[in-house]
Amino acid sequence: MTLRLWLLGAGIAQSPSPSMQNAALAAAGVEGSYTLRDCDAAGLAEAVAELRSGSAQGANVTIPHKRAAAALCDRLEGDAALLGAVNTLAVEGGAVIGANTDALGFEGAMREHRLWPAPGAAAVVLGAGGAATAVVLALSRAQAEWIGVAARRVERAQACTERFQSAGAATRGAGPPANQSAHVVVPLGFDDPALRRHLGGATLVVNATPAGLAALPVDVDALDPEAVVVDLRYRPRPVDLVAAATASGRRGADGLGMLLHQGMLSFQRWTGLPAPWEAARAALHAAVGESV
Ligand code: NAP
């Protein structure tokens, strides 16, 4: 059977995912194609109905449809059920299954770059959307001791942390990370005076917003010299926050590694085959104008 796969999202014309996934299909000897399907909410519902009727075998879902896609699925599995958002759709027996590979993709990239935090880490995640929530889930699994979720609208940060409260993690008000023994997930506003202190004490800072350095409440020089700085953006390259962090001697990574890892987890979900990492990595780097 020819595998037909889509990327569902809005404003996705520049996505490097088709290059990566088509290279992976070819390297694995799978006949098929992965194509962009730019759609609005109605178009998303049409695409999911077409998946259910067998017109295609799988899809990735990106901004702004991850939550809406979850609501259209017949069943959610794994992290998708925890996050209430999907980035991967698979079809089994006429049912559309929603999965989410973002948290495991983040973890895989962090481990590959040797940036995965040791238990007891204090982290600040900037942003409170789908990607930030997946990062918080991943960091909870890393047994981070304290996770601050900072957003320009504190109510969005609150909504993100409440998800972890209901999932069993404690949340409580601001306090110095070093003095907290329980695993806590704390909401903060970008304008919260405590944010600067938390950033200064963090062992890991993750930008999970589409905003660049100039729009973020981060002074790289005021971060801990040992802090790891990660930005989920991968364009424009070099990613300014990561470039500033590495220029000051800190370790960091942009979002290209996460894109690779979440994409290959999707590939494995659709095909049941091992991911052809090197072919996918080379195609992804070529698509953003770099060699591996
Ligand atoms: P999302 O659900 O729309 O959430 C975006 C978050 O960023 C929200 O908290 C939003 O705050 C905030 N934000 C937006 N513009 C901002 C600005 N100018 N200043 C400060 N905060 C701003 O999007 P998402 O899916 O979480 O994606 C977030 C970022 O991660 C995007 O850049 C996306 O490309 C990237 N991402 C990368 C990967 C990867 O594999 N590398 C995977 C997923 C996502 P408001 O609620 O106030 O708007």
Side-chain angles (χ1 to χ4, degrees), residues 62-63 66 102 126-132 151-153 156 190 207-211 215-216 231-234 254-256 258-260 262:
T62 189
I63 290 179
K66 289 182 182 181
D102 279 341
L126 301 165
R152 59 183 175 179
R153 290 186 288 161
R156 287 287 307 268
F190 274 8
N207 178 28
T209 81
L216 295 172
D231 197 321
L232 303 192
R233 295 174 303 142
Y234 49 88
D254 65 43
L256 206 59
M258 177 176 170
L259 190 67
L260 174 69
Q262 59 82 31

Side-chain angles (χ1 to χ4, degrees), residues 6-24:
W6 295 320
L7 174 61
L8 306 172
I12 52 177
Q14 303 304 317
S15 171
S17 288
S19 300
M20 170 177 70
Q21 295 289 4
N22 284 314

Side-chain angles (χ1 to χ4, degrees), residues 2-3 10 21 32 36 39 49 80 82 92 99 110 126-127 134 145-146 164 186 192 206 215-216 247 257 265:
T2 301
L3 208 58
Q21 295 289 4
L36 298 178
C39 55
L82 291 171
E92 282 173 7
M110 292 287 284
L126 301 165
E145 182 178 297
W146 189 95
F164 292 92
V186 174
D192 188 325
V206 181
L216 295 172
L265 289 167

Side-chain angles (χ1 to χ4, degrees), residues 7-174:
L7 174 61
L8 306 172
I12 52 177
Q14 303 304 317
S15 171
S17 288
S19 300
M20 170 177 70
Q21 295 289 4
N22 284 314
L25 290 169
V30 177
E31 193 183 319
S33 64
Y34 180 106
T35 54
L36 298 178
R37 185 160 166 164
D38 201 301
C39 55
D40 59 11
L44 173 73
E46 273 170 33
V48 173
E50 287 179 41
L51 281 164
R52 196 172 282 117
S53 67
S55 301
Q57 289 66 50
N60 278 134
V61 183
T62 189
I63 290 179
H65 297 318
K66 289 182 182 181
R67 275 194 188 286
L72 293 168
C73 288
D74 299 307
R75 196 169 80 235
L76 300 180
E77 65 182 21
D79 287 355
L82 291 171
L83 296 168
V86 308
N87 77 339
T88 304
L89 299 172
V91 188
E92 282 173 7
V96 176
I97 318 296
N100 196 312
T101 64
D102 279 341
L104 289 174
F106 175 76
E107 177 178 343
M110 292 287 284
R111 286 190 186 279
E112 182 184 335
H113 292 296
R114 301 187 183 283
L115 299 175
W116 186 238
V124 174
V125 179
L126 301 165
T133 310
V135 168
V136 175
L137 177 61
L139 294 178
S140 312
R141 292 185 185 135
Q143 297 180 290
E145 182 178 297
W146 189 95
I147 306 167
V149 177
R152 59 183 175 179
R153 290 186 288 161
V154 71
E155 63 273 18
R156 287 287 307 268
Q158 187 81 47
C160 174
T161 59
E162 276 166 6
R163 181 170 292 279
F164 292 92
Q165 195 168 37
S166 59
T171 68
R172 65 184 194 225

